[in-house]
Amino acid sequence: MLTIRNMTKNMGGRTLFEDSNLTINWGERTALVGPNGAGKSTLFKIILGEEDCDNGVVDLDEYAIVGYLAQEAGDPGDETVMEIAMGTTPEMVGILRTMREHEAAGTTDSDEYGAAQDQFTALNGYQLEPKAKKILAGLSFKQEDFDRPAREFSGGWIMRSYLARLLVMEPDLLMLDEPTNHLDLHTLIWFQRYLQNYPGAILMISHDRDFMDEIIETVFDIDQQSFISYTGNYSSFLNQRETRYEQQVSAYRNQQKEIAKVQEFVDRFRSVGSKASQVQSKMKQIEKMRTLEKPATPRKVFKFNFPQPPRSTQKVVELENVDLAYGDLVIYKNTSLTIERGEKIVLVGPNGAGKSTLMKLLAGTLEPQAGTRRAGYSTKLGYYSQHRSEAFDEHNSVLDEVMKAAPDIREDEARSILGSFLFRRQDVHKKCKVLSGGEKSRLNLVKFLVDPPNLLLMDEPTTHLDILSIEALVQALKQYEGTLVFISHDVHFIRALGETTLHISGGQLTRYSGGYDYYLEKSGLGDGDARGGITA
C-alpha cells in the first residue's frame, strides 16, 4: 500500500532520514517511534504530501484512501458534531438542515422535505448517519450533543468529533498522531477495541505504550537516520531492540579486535623486506573492510533516588458531606471521602464526571458550597495540574529552579533528572520566562519529585511526556512513600501505580480495593463496553 524507497530528508541543517526505506501493507497496524525531534511528524507530512523529501520515492497506492488525525483540531466553523462526524460536504449540510427544519416544524409531507430526502438517499446519508451516531456514542457524546455546533465544545471534544469522522470514513490508511491525548479511560477502552477490529491499515505515533501493545503488530524505530523494522507490539520491540544493540556492540568490538590485530602485524613487519607482500595484503584487507560505526547507546530510563517526604497522620485529607454545583449542574451532593496515609488511588470515570473537580476539592483550591474539607495537621500537600503552572522566578534558569527546590541535590544529578523530563543539554539554561506551557508543566513535575510533599495530587501528569519520561516518572513514584491520588488516561501509568481505584459517575464515588485490572473485572468493563458495541 505504502512504500518509501531510498528517502533522504534534511531539515535545519540536520539529516533526519538518509537513504531510508519503509513499507506498510494493506491492513497492517504500524507504530512509528523515536525520540522527540527524530522526525516522526515530518514523515507524516511527507506521506500526506505536505512536505517533499530531498531524495527518494514515496509510493502510495493510487486507489488507497488516507485519513489523518492531527494532534490539534482546526476551527470547526458552524458545523455541528454530527456534520463533522458524517464528513458532510456543504451540499450535505444544506440537505440535513432542510430536513431538520421540516422535522422540527412537523412539515415532513412537504415537497421540499421529500426532495431533500431523495438527495440524502443519493448521497448515502441513511447509511452514514447511523454509523456516525454509533461512533459518536462510543466516543462518549450524548445524543443531545449531536446537533450542537462543535465550537461550543472544548478542543478535546472537537478532536473527538474529527476522530469520529475518520472512523466513519474508514480510510484504507488511518494515520493517527497521539490519538489518545483527549480521551478519558472509558472512551480509550472503546477506541482500543474498535481499532482491534478496524479493517484498514493503521500508522500511529503514540506515547501510550499499553495502547500500542493492544493494537500494533509492526514497529518502525527511527534510529541513526533510518527506519528499523521490528515485528510485534511495542513491548516486543523493546526486547528486540535491546538484543539488536547487543549484537551490534559485539560485532563492533570483534571488528575492532580484528583491525587491531591486523594493524599490529603491519606495524611490526612494515620494515621487514621478506614480509613486504604480507604487509601490503594486510593493509589492503583493512582498506577493503567495511568499517562498522560504534552503535549509539539507546536512550534508557534514568533511575534516581528522591528524598522521601515527612510522615503524615493516618488521615491525610477528608471531605465530609460536601456539595458542589456549577449553576444548575450538580457535581457532588452530600459526598464524603477519606484519603489515608500511603494510599495510591487512581480516579476514573467519564469526562465531565467530576474527577478534576474532586481533585481541586481535595487540594483546597476549590471551596465546597456545603460540607467540610479537613487536612491532617502534618499534611504537606502538592497539587500538580496540567492547566496550573507553579509561580517560577522568571529570571531563574530551569536548572536554578530545581537547585532552589532541593538545595542538597548535586548539579549533575539535577541535570540528569531534567534530561529524563526532556530538558536536554542547553535547555537547562533556559529562563523560566520563555518556557512553553508544556515545559512549565514538566519543570513543575521535577520540582515535586526533588522535594516531594507527603500528599501528592496529580491531574494528567503524563501529558507533554514521551514514553521514556513517563517510565522515569513511574519509577520515581514507585519509590514514593507518601500518599498519591492521580488522574490519568495512560493505562501503563495506571497499571504501574494504582493500588485503589475510585470510580466517579453521577456524583457517586465507588471504591474498588484493587488496581486497574481488578477494576475492569469488577466493573464489567473487561468484558466489553455496554455503550453500543465495540466492533469496526
Side-chain angles (χ1 to χ4, degrees):
M1 169 190 284
L2 172 66
T3 303
I4 293 174
R5 292 190 296 273
N6 306 322
M7 184 177 72
T8 297
K9 175 67 176 178
N10 298 293
M11 181 173 286
R14 189 166 67 93
T15 300
L16 295 178
F17 320 121
E18 185 171 14
D19 203 25
S20 299
N21 300 285
L22 178 150
T23 300
I24 297 175
N25 299 311
W26 291 88
E28 190 172 13
R29 288 101 186 281
T30 306
L32 185 64
V33 303
N36 283 12
K40 299 186 293 292
S41 295
T42 299
L43 180 62
F44 265 36
K45 291 177 182 177
I46 291 171
I47 293 170
L48 293 165
E50 296 175 4
E51 280 197 25
D52 294 325
C53 55
D54 298 315
N55 192 36
V57 176
V58 179
D59 185 14
L60 179 66
D61 190 290
E62 63 178 317
Y63 296 107
I65 298 171
V66 177
Y68 169 56
L69 182 74
Q71 285 194 38
E72 300 295 333
D75 181 2
D78 295 326
E79 286 185 287
T80 67
V81 168
M82 177 60 75
E83 288 166 357
I84 290 175
M86 289 178 64
T88 49
T89 61
E91 180 187 11
M92 177 75 92
V93 169
I95 293 167
L96 268 172
R97 291 180 181 174
T98 297
M99 292 172 63
R100 296 288 181 265
E101 288 167 5
H102 282 287
E103 287 164 359
T107 55
T108 55
D109 56 350
S110 68
D111 291 341
E112 187 179 39
Y113 181 79
Q117 267 192 318
D118 291 341
Q119 289 175 296
F120 193 64
T121 301
L123 292 170
N124 206 31
Y126 284 108
Q127 282 69 46
L128 288 177
E129 190 170 27
K131 185 176 182 181
K133 286 180 176 179
K134 180 179 177 181
I135 289 170
L136 287 170
L139 293 172
S140 297
F141 283 97
K142 299 173 183 176
Q143 188 160 349
E144 55 266 32
D145 295 333
F146 293 174
D147 292 322
R148 286 176 58 192
R151 64 171 181 269
E152 294 180 4
F153 293 82
S154 68
W157 285 96
I158 294 172
M159 286 300 301
R160 291 191 194 202
S161 65
Y162 283 106
L163 176 57
R165 167 181 282 183
L166 284 180
L167 298 182
V168 171
M169 182 173 79
E170 209 168 273
D172 301 305
L173 176 60
L174 183 59
M175 297 175 62
L176 305 170
D177 192 351
E178 296 292 352
T180 64
N181 274 357
H182 302 286
L183 304 182
D184 61 81
L185 192 56
H186 286 207
T187 308
L188 178 63
I189 292 170
W190 178 90
F191 183 46
Q192 178 177 292
R193 290 172 176 157
Y194 195 97
L195 290 186
Q196 285 169 341
N197 294 282
Y198 188 76
I202 299 170
L203 175 61
M204 74 165 69
I205 300 168
S206 179
H207 291 152
D208 189 328
R209 58 183 296 170
D210 272 51
F211 183 74
M212 287 192 286
D213 273 350
E214 294 293 333
I215 306 296
I216 294 305
E217 58 191 11
T218 303
V219 173
F220 280 100
D221 180 27
I222 302 178
D223 182 28
Q224 295 180 303
Q225 294 86 48
S226 293
F227 305 123
I228 310 300
S229 176
Y230 296 86
T231 300
N233 62 14
Y234 184 80
S235 293
S236 176
F237 148 70
L238 290 178
N239 294 329
Q240 291 178 61
R241 184 179 63 174
E242 186 66 28
T243 300
R244 178 175 179 269
Y245 172 69
E246 290 169 359
Q247 291 170 343
Q248 287 178 318
V249 169
S250 178
Y252 173 77
R253 287 175 178 168
N254 289 338
Q255 187 183 66
Q256 289 299 303
K257 287 178 184 177
E258 183 182 354
I259 291 171
K261 186 177 179 181
V262 173
Q263 189 64 50
E264 182 186 5
F265 180 91
V266 170
D267 294 342
R268 183 177 177 186
F269 296 107
R270 189 187 302 272
S271 58
V272 179
S274 61
K275 298 283 189 179
S277 62
Q278 287 178 273
V279 168
Q280 287 297 320
S281 176
K282 294 291 186 182
M283 290 176 67
K284 287 181 180 178
Q285 181 182 339
I286 293 176
E287 289 170 4
K288 291 179 179 178
M289 192 178 292
R290 180 177 168 271
T291 307
L292 299 176
E293 291 186 17
K294 185 177 181 180
T297 305
R299 185 179 156 226
K300 294 185 177 181
V301 177
F302 175 68
K303 297 179 181 178
F304 35 83
N305 294 314
F306 290 115
Q308 292 301 333
R311 187 177 174 86
S312 69
T313 53
Q314 183 62 30
K315 287 185 180 180
V316 182
V317 64
E318 58 183 330
L319 304 176
E320 185 176 358
N321 303 325
V322 163
D323 291 356
L324 195 286
Y326 297 111
D328 295 331
L329 179 62
V330 176
I331 307 298
Y332 293 109
K333 182 71 176 175
N334 201 32
T335 297
S336 298
L337 174 66
T338 300
I339 307 294
E340 299 198 348
R341 184 177 63 231
E343 288 195 295
K344 304 289 189 293
I345 300 174
V346 56
L347 307 184
V348 302
N351 275 12
K355 301 186 295 294
S356 293
T357 298
L358 182 62
M359 196 72 89
K360 291 172 185 175
L361 287 168
L362 290 170
T365 61
L366 184 63
E367 289 290 328
Q369 289 149 350
T372 306
R373 171 195 178 271
R374 285 188 295 271
Y377 68 86
S378 61
T379 296
K380 177 186 174 186
L381 183 146
Y383 171 46
Y384 173 86
S385 169
Q386 58 176 321
H387 304 300
R388 175 180 174 272
S389 291
E390 186 176 304
F392 301 118
D393 184 334
E394 65 175 18
H395 301 296
N396 273 350
S397 69
V398 169
L399 183 60
D400 291 336
E401 281 291 311
V402 175
M403 300 294 288
K404 184 178 74 173
D408 294 333
I409 197 171
R410 299 192 317 271
E411 182 176 327
D412 63 330
E413 188 174 17
R415 283 173 172 272
S416 295
I417 294 167
L418 284 165
S420 290
F421 290 91
L422 305 179
F423 291 102
R424 303 199 180 103
R425 299 183 180 89
Q426 296 305 308
D427 288 344
V428 301
H429 298 302
K430 279 186 176 180
K431 297 298 183 184
C432 291
K433 64 182 177 183
V434 302
L435 296 180
S436 67
E439 287 172 325
K440 287 180 179 177
S441 295
R442 285 188 270 117
L443 181 54
N444 249 342
L445 264 181
V446 174
K447 289 181 67 174
F448 276 129
L449 294 173
V450 298
D451 182 28
N454 55 27
L455 172 60
L456 190 48
L457 307 174
M458 308 187 86
D459 192 346
E460 296 289 0
T462 63
T463 304
H464 310 300
L465 300 182
D466 67 5
I467 289 177
L468 289 182
S469 302
I470 292 170
E471 190 59 32
L473 181 58
V474 166
Q475 296 304 321
L477 291 176
K478 277 185 173 180
Q479 300 173 30
Y480 175 65
E481 295 174 4
T483 306
L484 173 66
V485 182
F486 68 97
I487 301 167
S488 179
H489 66 264
D490 187 300
V491 174
H492 172 70
F493 189 81
I494 294 170
R495 273 199 169 105
L497 296 170
E499 297 173 0
T500 297
T501 307
L502 192 66
H503 180 254
I504 303 172
S505 183
Q508 300 299 309
L509 309 183
T510 306
R511 183 184 283 258
Y512 294 84
S513 300
Y516 175 75
D517 293 310
Y518 178 84
Y519 160 69
L520 289 182
E521 177 189 350
K522 295 300 181 182
S523 67
L525 277 175
D527 301 323
D529 193 336
R531 287 172 299 149
I534 60 171
T535 57

